[in-house]
Amino acid sequence: MADEEQKRLGRENDSLANTQTIRRGLSSAGLSQRRLAFLAKLPVFLNSSLSLQRVAQISLEHILDELEAEFAVVYLKDNDESVTYWSLVRSPRQRSEGDVDLAQHPCAQLAMKNCFPLVLQNKEEFPGEEFDSCFGHSIDNLICIPLTVREKECVGAFQISNMNPEIVSDQSSLVFCDQFAHQLAFAIDNARLYQEAESHRQKLVALDQKKSETISIIAHEFRTPLNIIQNAAELLTSELLTNENRGEMVSLLQTSVQRLTRLIAQIRNVSLVQDESIPIELECFDMSRLVSIVVEKFQKVAANRSLQLVAHRPNMQLDVLGEPRLLSVVLQNLISNAVRFTPDGGTVIVQLEEEGDDVRLTVVDTGIGISQDEQQLIFEKFYEVKDCMLHSSGEYEFQSSGLGLGLAAVKHILSAHNTEVELESEPDKGSRFSFKLTRPPQ
Ligand code: ADP
C-alpha cells in the first residue's frame, strides 16, 4: 500500500477512534433542558413539509442557530448513488444546493461509509490535510452524523462546522446532534416515501386516463362497423333491393365483420401488456407452418391495397420452442403494422431462417419508417407516433389507427420467451422488426 494511502487510513482510524471514545461516554452525557425542549419541538418543524428540499432547509435553519455554528450541510444519496447537498451559512444567511462529489467531502464520506458519527475538534484531527474547507468555507471543527433510516440503511449525512470549541468538546453536543440527525433522517424518509407514493399515484392517474380514452376509442371503433352491419341487415330484407345492391351490401357486411375481428384482436392485446410476466408453457412446434398460416390471413387485405406480401421460409418443418398462440399474436401484430404503415403498392416480406442454433423471424416493409427518437417509445403501451384520434380508422388502410398496444404486446410476449425484438428503421425507407427463437435440443 502506498505511504500516502497508509497515512490517510491511519488518520481515518484516529478520527473514528476519537469519536468512539466520545460515544462511549454518551450515556452519561445529559442534555440541557433547553436542548431537550428543542428536540421535543423539532418534529413539528421537520414534519411541516413533505418536500425534501424544505425538510433539509428547515433542519439547517434550526440547528445552525441552536449550536451557534457558522456552517451546516445535509448530504443525501439519490437513487442512482449520486449525492445531493443543501448547505446554509449562518451569517450573512446564504443557502446553496446541488450535486456533490463525495470524494471532495471526506468527513461526510467517512461517516456514511462507516455509518458512524465523526467529531473533529481541530484541524489536526482531519482525515486529510488538504480537506480543511467545505464548499470554499474554511473549517476549524465539525460534527458529522450519518443519516440512517430503518435501523441500518445510511441515506446521507448531516455536518455542522465551526462551533465554539467548548460546544464541540462538550459530549452532550454529540448526543444532541445524534438525536437531531435521527429525527431528520425520519423526516427525510417520510418525505421520500411521500414523493415515491405521489409519483406512483401520478403514473396511475395517467394510466387510468389512458385506459378511459382507450375504452372510448374502442366504443367508437365498434360503433361504425356495427351500424353498417345493422343497416345492411335491414336493407337485405327489403324487396326493393337489386342484385347489384345486394352484392354491395354483402361486401360491406364482410368488411365490417373483418373490422370487428381486428378490434377484438386488439382488445386481446390489452390483457397481454399487463405488468406481470405472462405465464407460458413452452412447446415444440413448426414455426414455418405458423408463418404460412398467419401470412395467408393477410393476403386479402394486402391485395386490396396492391401490397406485395411475401413469405420467405424454408420448404421444410422448422421447429422452435415457444407458445404458438402467443407467437401468432406477435406475428399478427408485426404484419398488421407493416401492412398499415406501408403505402399502397409497397412490399412486406416475412422471412424465417435458421441462425446457428436459433431461428430468426424478420418482418421487413418498404413503409414510412420510424424516426430514431420514436424507436424506443413505440414499444410503450398506448404509444402511437400520431394522435390516434387523427388517424384514418379504416381497417387496414394506410396509417389506420390502432390502440397503441400491438408492439407493447410483442415486447411482453417475446420477453416471456427470453428473447427480444430488434428494430432497424429509417423514415421514408421502411422498417425491419426481427427476433430469435430457440430450437428444441436435437
Ligand atoms: P398501433 O396498433 O396503435 O399501431 P403499435 O404498438 O402496434 O400500436 O405501434 C405503435 C406505433 O408504432 C404505431 O402507431 C406506428 O406509429 C409505429 N409503427 C409500428 N410499426 C411500424 C412500421 N412497421 N412502420 C412504421 N411505423 C410503425
Side-chain angles (χ1 to χ4, degrees), residues 337 340-341 365 370 378 383-385 402-404 406-407 431 433:
N337 281 351
R340 288 186 295 127
F341 296 103
D365 64 59
I370 305 153
I378 55 171
Y383 189 87
E384 294 191 298
V385 175
L403 298 175
L407 289 179
S431 311
F433 288 84

